[in-house]
Amino acid sequence: MSLEGKVILVTGGTSGIGEGCSRHYAEVGAKVVIASNQEEAGRKLEEALRAEGRDVRFVYTDITCEESVRNLVAQAVAAYGRIDGVHCNAGAWAPGKVTEFNDSAWDLIMGVNVKGVLWTAKHVIPVMERQGKGVLLVTTSVAAHIGFPQHVIYCASKAALEAIIRCLTTDHAGVVRVVGISPGTIDTPMLAATCAGWDKPKEELYAEVAQRIPVRRLGQPVDIARAGAFLLSDDADYINGAILTMDGGTMVLPPW
Ligand SMILES: NC(=O)c1ccc[n+]([C@@H]2O[C@H](COP(=O)([O-])OP(=O)(O)OC[C@H]3O[C@@H](n4cnc5c(N)ncnc54)[C@H](O)[C@@H]3O)[C@@H](O)[C@H]2O)c1
């Protein structure tokens, strides 16, 4: 899949799925603007990819803050003159039932997962409108469709993203294509963090989970990156308002 010459911005592009996407999009020819709030990891990734001859730049961004997102978009346009695609991937997670609900859980999870996508779309869509074309890809989650135990705010945030994908598809028709990827269980630092507090080591938990997934393995960031590259490319020009489930087949299993 080629993204040759395209300018692609990846939020949360320094860890897990986002890091895999930053690397892969650069490998298939894109100029990649890597955004996240992980300054050190961002500088290291930028250096490593440039050493491989890739055209990338890291921009420190707090996706929850409008000024920071405005600066990200301005820096991308100043560097490359256009933005062909944005992968809204930054995400935050914290466990909790509604009885433990508080403002900080709301601010963290809704702030990053939902407000972050809204700020990004707000500032990047005018650039795409000036160009006459652009693609927004959003990382949602199967959590939008499952009542994961003790994940009420996270699940709500991912369900909100599905609604946002549909609304942006309608509001910016003819100019911006809006698509989503809904991952299942992907081997990333966020997934590892969810294993804390269980009575088994991570490796044992992962092996058990893998046996329940129809393809018999956890997903890797590159699995998402390959599909993301296709959805961001011109080959996917007729895919719009759609969300691709990438869970190795888990969601089609019968409930027994
Ligand atoms: N790993 C999974 O199994 C899985 C499953 C479904 C969906 N997802 C989603 O995939 C996306 C990536 O998750 P991951 O598993 O790679 O997690 P991760 O923790 O490895 O990466 C999250 C990224 O988001 C960035 N981020 C967090 N808060 C930010 C902020 N305020 N400003 C800018 N960047 C911020 C982090 O710096 C990091 O780069 C998330 O949206 C997550 O909800 C993950």
Side-chain angles (χ1 to χ4, degrees), residues 5-54:
K6 292 207 182 286
V7 179
I8 306 290
L9 199 158
V10 183
T11 73
T14 51
S15 173
I17 291 172
E19 180 184 351
C21 290
S22 298
R23 287 181 182 281
H24 185 69
Y25 300 164
E27 275 165 22
V28 296
K31 303 172 205 302
V32 183
V33 180
I34 303 166
S36 90
N37 61 350
Q38 294 169 310
E39 178 92 47
E40 202 187 328
R43 297 286 163 219
K44 279 190 182 151
L45 183 60
E46 180 186 63
E47 200 183 322
L49 291 176
R50 284 183 177 176
E52 292 171 19
R54 314 296 180 204

Side-chain angles (χ1 to χ4, degrees), residues 193-215:
T194 67
C195 296
W198 285 70
D199 53 354
K200 291 175 190 170
K202 186 186 89 174
E203 292 66 30
E204 216 175 300
L205 281 169
Y206 280 13
E208 284 177 14
V209 169
Q211 281 316 302
R212 291 204 297 272
I213 298 171
V215 299

Side-chain angles (χ1 to χ4, degrees), residues 76-89:
V77 172
Y80 295 117
R82 57 185 297 113
I83 300 175
D84 298 293
V86 177
H87 188 161
C88 299
N89 169 80

Side-chain angles (χ1 to χ4, degrees), residues 11-20 35-39 41 59-65 68-69 87-93 108 111-113 116 138-143 148 154 157-158 161 181-194 219 221 224 246:
T11 73
T14 51
S15 173
I17 291 172
E19 180 184 351
S36 90
N37 61 350
Q38 294 169 310
E39 178 92 47
V59 180
Y60 176 87
T61 309
D62 176 358
I63 211 75
T64 66
C65 165
S68 191
V69 175
H87 188 161
C88 299
N89 169 80
W93 163 90
L108 173 72
V112 176
N113 297 5
V138 181
T139 306
T140 64
S141 171
V142 293
F148 273 120
Y154 182 78
S157 75
K158 294 298 182 176
L161 290 182
I181 290 181
S182 177
T185 312
I186 314 297
D187 186 2
T188 69
M190 184 188 285
L191 186 71
T194 67
I224 306 300
M246 295 197 64

Side-chain angles (χ1 to χ4, degrees), residues 116-203:
V117 171
L118 295 173
W119 288 143
T120 306
K122 174 180 173 178
H123 289 285
V124 87
I125 286 175
V127 177
M128 293 176 172
E129 282 172 339
R130 283 198 294 278
Q131 296 166 180
K133 191 176 176 180
V135 188
L136 273 181
L137 166 61
V138 181
T139 306
T140 64
S141 171
V142 293
H145 299 277
I146 297 172
F148 273 120
Q150 305 199 33
H151 275 73
V152 59
I153 313 299
Y154 182 78
C155 292
S157 75
K158 294 298 182 176
L161 290 182
E162 296 210 347
I164 288 168
I165 288 171
R166 288 189 282 272
C167 291
L168 299 188
T169 303
T170 313
D171 284 344
H172 303 282
V175 178
V176 184
R177 264 194 315 117
V178 190
V179 287
I181 290 181
S182 177
T185 312
I186 314 297
D187 186 2
T188 69
M190 184 188 285
L191 186 71
T194 67
C195 296
W198 285 70
D199 53 354
K200 291 175 190 170
K202 186 186 89 174
E203 292 66 30

